[in-house]
Amino acid sequence: SESVSGRCPCCQGVLITTPWGYKCSEFNNFTVGEIGGVKLTPEQLEMILTTGKSDKMTFTKKDGSGTYDAFLTLQDNDKGGKKIWLSFE
């Protein structure tokens, strides 16, 4: 696994690539997989981790019936950690 720029927002550990996305090398449950049919590039992930938000992106609806535009933002999760989630603002 390769490491990527940017650090885990939960523990500042190294983020590594996996076949399905990215995860923290410290195994603290911070993972990022495909979101809305989009697999994030290392550059997109770094932008979210440093600024808290991605550029506007186009995602595929779950049922495949079309697309929608949204941002990805870094947010707190319900376990005291962080998650990357959709935002429409």
Side-chain angles (χ1 to χ4, degrees), residues 8 11-14 16 23-29:
C8 174
C11 72
Q12 298 304 305
V14 174
I16 56 175
K23 70 176 183 176
C24 179
S25 62
E26 301 299 317
F27 305 104
N28 67 6
N29 296 325

Side-chain angles (χ1 to χ4, degrees), residues 37-58:
V38 174
K39 187 172 181 181
L40 294 178
T41 66
E43 294 80 17
Q44 290 168 322
L45 178 61
E46 183 177 2
M47 175 184 257
I48 295 164
L49 295 174
T50 53
T51 69
K53 189 175 185 178
S54 70
D55 289 331
K56 187 178 281 188
M57 302 170 69
T58 301

